[in-house]
Amino acid sequence: DHSCEIPYHPGACYAGWGQDLLAFLTGEVTVENQAHCGLTTESFRTEGHFELVRKHIHKNDFCLLQFAHNDQKLAHLMADRGYTDNLHAFLDEVRECGGRPVLVTPPGLNIWNADGTYLELLDAYANAVKKLAEKTGTPWINLHEYSVKLIKKMGMKRSRDYFHPEDYTHTNEYGAYRLAEFLAKELEKLFPDRIHCKKEEKPFL
């Protein structure tokens, strides 16, 4: 979970969807957010973070796995190489612990070409997640498709309101809240017997 500077400004802080997910869920549910900035599918394991997941996950707990932004920086972690292999290993080990893995495609980046068209940099990773989900029979959520459509609809200037200032990768509270809302609803669709969303009082703009 990200902390924020004081005085608090929701548009000028870092925030990830994991820390906002509980805002949309109801009933006896707890969210344990083990996400960390700057990590890949490789360093999440080598730095000991996945071991914490293995240690604390209980039978039938859901484990949402979403990577890619940092994997794309390393040749051996390209979508069809180490990235997919590492995700596959996570799936197997979560299941060995009795957990229920859910794959999530990476949210889109707010990057545009000089001619004003959207620059897609993570579609290969989103497709890799889809293929792995189909191959392993794993539930998955297409956060990439949702977020890219939203960014394109709003345009480059308006989309900045959902990202940390001067940042095209990391969302602020507004962006994290919007993504968490989508994920909660998709989880409810996948697992209606276990996951329940709070009733909307008014749409989030």
Side-chain angles (χ1 to χ4, degrees):
D1 292 358
H2 290 277
S3 59
C4 63
E5 297 179 357
I6 298 176
Y8 169 66
H9 189 302
C13 66
Y14 290 104
W17 57 260
Q19 67 191 70
D20 284 350
L21 190 57
L22 192 59
F24 296 96
L25 302 177
T26 188
E28 296 182 3
V29 59
T30 299
V31 174
E32 173 69 21
N33 183 23
Q34 287 292 342
H36 292 271
C37 291
L39 299 186
T40 66
T41 53
E42 183 176 64
S43 59
F44 190 75
R45 180 186 295 277
T46 59
E47 293 186 13
H49 302 292
F50 187 64
E51 186 55 36
L52 292 176
V53 174
R54 286 172 51 87
K55 181 179 179 180
H56 295 291
I57 196 168
H58 295 83
K59 185 177 180 180
N60 290 324
D61 281 352
F62 296 110
C63 181
L64 279 64
L65 297 161
Q66 184 250 293
F67 293 87
H69 296 108
N70 296 296
D71 292 79
Q72 68 171 337
K73 302 173 185 177
L74 301 172
H76 69 288
L77 295 179
M78 291 293 101
D80 58 350
R81 300 178 193 173
Y83 176 76
T84 295
D85 294 338
N86 292 338
L87 281 181
H88 200 162
F90 287 153
L91 298 181
D92 291 342
E93 293 177 53
V94 168
R95 289 189 171 110
E96 289 174 2
C97 294
R100 303 174 66 179
V102 179
L103 288 168
V104 180
T105 59
L109 307 173
N110 190 27
I111 302 179
W112 302 74
N113 293 301
D115 63 0
T117 57
Y118 182 75
L119 178 58
E120 175 60 83
L121 295 175
L122 292 171
D123 55 339
Y125 289 87
N127 289 331
V129 169
K130 177 183 177 180
K131 290 179 181 178
L132 180 60
E134 293 173 345
K135 178 181 178 181
T136 59
T138 303
W140 68 292
I141 297 174
N142 202 346
L143 181 61
H144 185 74
E145 180 181 65
Y146 167 77
S147 58
V148 168
K149 284 183 177 179
L150 185 64
I151 290 170
K152 287 182 177 179
K153 180 180 179 180
M154 293 189 296
M156 177 172 56
K157 185 176 180 180
R158 177 72 174 87
S159 295
R160 292 173 183 167
D161 293 341
Y162 291 85
F163 289 81
H164 186 275
E166 308 303 323
D167 195 319
Y168 54 81
T169 302
H170 301 97
T171 50
N172 55 25
E173 284 281 14
Y174 298 125
Y177 196 77
R178 190 70 178 263
L179 298 185
E181 178 185 38
F182 169 76
L183 281 158
K185 291 178 178 178
E186 291 300 299
L187 284 170
E188 186 178 46
K189 292 177 184 177
L190 288 172
F191 311 105
D193 59 324
R194 290 277 309 278
I195 304 294
H196 305 286
C197 293
K198 295 177 181 177
K199 293 183 179 180
E200 283 189 58
E201 297 181 358
K202 59 181 180 180
F204 180 72
L205 302 178

